[in-house]
């Protein structure tokens, strides 16, 4: 029986606010370059006020991935938490306009404002993210409804939500419901610091996953060893291991099968969303039954497109881009 959703994601529902700046501005504002920092409400308001020529868009790692999958024509849903305020309504509306079902309505009288991330892009393409988590990090198992999880072929989880016990409970419920109904479940490790904070919990959770996506630093942090040994151990524990390596070959391992996919290096305009769109390309291949190498190639092509312009979501028809690169659809 065909399920309603090809892919459903659970993640932070964050409004991205993007501007261009130079290194001296980052120094002046005390912004650490090239990483994601969590900020409190007052700091967030200060940085927001300092931004010029702001571009506003619905963001969050998994939400960006779903936008890429929507571009590719898959039926998608998003389980996230926004408040019924101006930013929250904007977020839900924009996700719906992009073709992704925003499963849960904005929360009336929510306990915190809708989340937002102030992103400063320097001329070298690096992005420095300052994120006020707000209500999105309060997602819990109560937000995961059986009618969604059981009607999903692939459930994709955002590792950042492991920062709260409620988020872990949401993941456990989603994985249980999706697996029971015959679906697949996978997770993005999200960030090496996130892995470090929750290493034991991730290690217990990963063996239940059908696929896990991480970069080389996240895999090394998870197993506290070098990359080769980490990937070997990961492959023995979970279904499919995907490792991206910042402009170097992507490695995919499933049982005794392995694929190494070369990356076409380009000078990035903005690296925001590179990992998210790699995940979109990979998941498109995975959800439509492609082989390992094709899944990896689709991921690298989608990532290459998004770093060619400002913003974390594709601006061209990715299917057409796949055809141009000789990837069979």
């Amino acid at each position: 029986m065909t399920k309603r959703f090809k892919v459903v994601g659970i993640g932070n529902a964050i409004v991205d606010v993007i501007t261009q700046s130079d290194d001296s501005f980052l120094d002046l504002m005390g912004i650490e370059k090239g990483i994601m920092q969590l900020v409190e409400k007052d700091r967030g308001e200060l940085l927001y006020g300092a931004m010029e020529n702001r571009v506003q868009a619905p963001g969050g790692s998994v939400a960006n991935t779903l936008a890429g999958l929507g571009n590719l024509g898959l039926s998608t849903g998003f389980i996230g938490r926004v408040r019924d305020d101006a930013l929250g309504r904007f977020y839900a509306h924009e996700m719906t306009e992009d073709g992704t079902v925003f499963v849960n309505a904005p929360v009336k009288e929510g306990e915190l404002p809708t989340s937002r991330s102030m992103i400063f892009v320097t001329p070298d393409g690096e992005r420095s993210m300052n994120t006020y988590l707000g209500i999105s990090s309060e997602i819990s198992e109560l937000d995961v409804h059986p009618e969604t999880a059981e009607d999903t072929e692939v459930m994709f989880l955002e590792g950042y939500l492991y920062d709260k016990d409620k988020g872990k409970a949401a993941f456990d419920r989603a994985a249980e419901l999706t697996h029971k109904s015959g679906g697949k479940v996978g997770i993005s490790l999200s960030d090496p610091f996130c892995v470090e904070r929750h290493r034991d919990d991730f290690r217990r959770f990963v063996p239940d996953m059908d696929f896990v996506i991480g970069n080389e630093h996240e895999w090394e942090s998870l197993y506290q060893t070098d990359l080769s040994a980490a990937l070997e151990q990961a492959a023995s524990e979970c279904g499919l291991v995907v490792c991206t390596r910042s402009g170097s070959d992507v490695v995919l391992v499933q049982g005794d099968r392995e694929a190494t996919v070369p990356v076409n290096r380009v000078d990035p305009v903005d690296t925001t969303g590179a990992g998210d769109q790699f995940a979109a390309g990979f998941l498109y291949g995975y959800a439509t039954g492609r082989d390992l190498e094709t899944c990896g190639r689709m991921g690298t092509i989608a990532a290459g497109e998004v770093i060619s312009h400002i913003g974390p979501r594709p601006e061209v028809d990715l299917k057409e881009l796949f055809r141009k690169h000789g990837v069979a659809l």
Side-chain angles (χ1 to χ4, degrees), residues 6 41 51 55:
K6 203 76 171 174
K41 186 178 178 182
M51 302 177 90
V55 176

Side-chain angles (χ1 to χ4, degrees), residues 136-269:
S136 73
S137 64
E138 296 300 308
I139 198 164
S140 75
E141 61 185 315
L142 298 178
D143 296 300
V144 181
H145 304 295
E147 57 266 29
T148 299
E150 293 172 355
D151 214 4
T152 298
E153 291 188 22
V154 180
M155 179 70 70
F156 186 45
L157 311 173
E158 181 181 314
Y160 283 127
L161 286 177
Y162 246 61
D163 274 329
K164 293 199 174 181
D165 288 340
K166 288 193 284 190
K168 296 174 189 175
F171 282 4
D172 288 341
R173 178 168 170 78
E176 179 185 5
L177 291 171
T178 304
H179 274 146
K180 276 186 176 179
S181 63
K184 303 289 189 183
V185 183
I187 190 170
S188 164
L189 296 177
S190 291
D191 179 273
F193 301 109
C194 182
V195 173
E196 190 173 319
R197 288 193 296 272
H198 306 291
R199 183 177 292 113
D200 291 344
D201 284 335
F202 272 130
R203 288 285 298 274
R204 282 191 290 269
F205 195 63
V206 160
D208 294 332
M209 296 294 96
D210 297 290
F211 63 90
V212 182
I213 303 174
N215 66 32
E216 55 192 319
H217 306 299
E218 291 155 6
W219 284 115
E220 288 172 343
S221 177
L222 184 63
Y223 291 103
Q224 296 179 285
T225 185
D226 64 86
L227 184 61
S228 177
L231 294 183
E232 184 177 345
Q233 186 166 350
S236 71
E237 291 186 1
C238 69
L240 168 55
V241 174
V242 183
C243 178
T244 60
R245 298 190 293 169
S246 301
S248 298
D249 295 351
V250 174
V251 178
L252 302 93
V253 186
Q254 187 170 37
D256 57 1
R257 291 181 294 153
E258 182 173 330
T260 301
V261 179
V263 171
N264 179 30
R265 296 185 70 99
V266 297
D267 291 327
V269 173

Side-chain angles (χ1 to χ4, degrees), residues 20 52 61 63-64 69 73 81-82 100 118 158 164 193 203 226 233 248 285 289 314:
Q20 293 180 290
E52 297 181 355
S61 179
N64 290 335
L69 289 167
R81 192 172 177 83
V82 298
T100 292
M118 283 65 68
E158 181 181 314
K164 293 199 174 181
F193 301 109
R203 288 285 298 274
D226 64 86
Q233 186 166 350
S248 298

Side-chain angles (χ1 to χ4, degrees), residues 284-328:
Y284 179 81
Y286 181 82
T288 55
R290 304 309 202 271
D291 60 54
L292 290 185
E293 183 175 359
T294 301
C295 291
R297 287 195 65 200
M298 288 176 165
T300 61
I301 292 166
E305 187 280 332
V306 82
I307 66 174
S308 70
H309 56 77
I310 296 289
R313 300 187 173 194
E315 292 186 349
V316 304
D317 184 331
L318 291 178
K319 278 191 175 181
E320 185 58 34
L321 199 59
F322 289 166
R323 290 188 190 97
K324 286 182 179 177
H325 284 80
V327 177

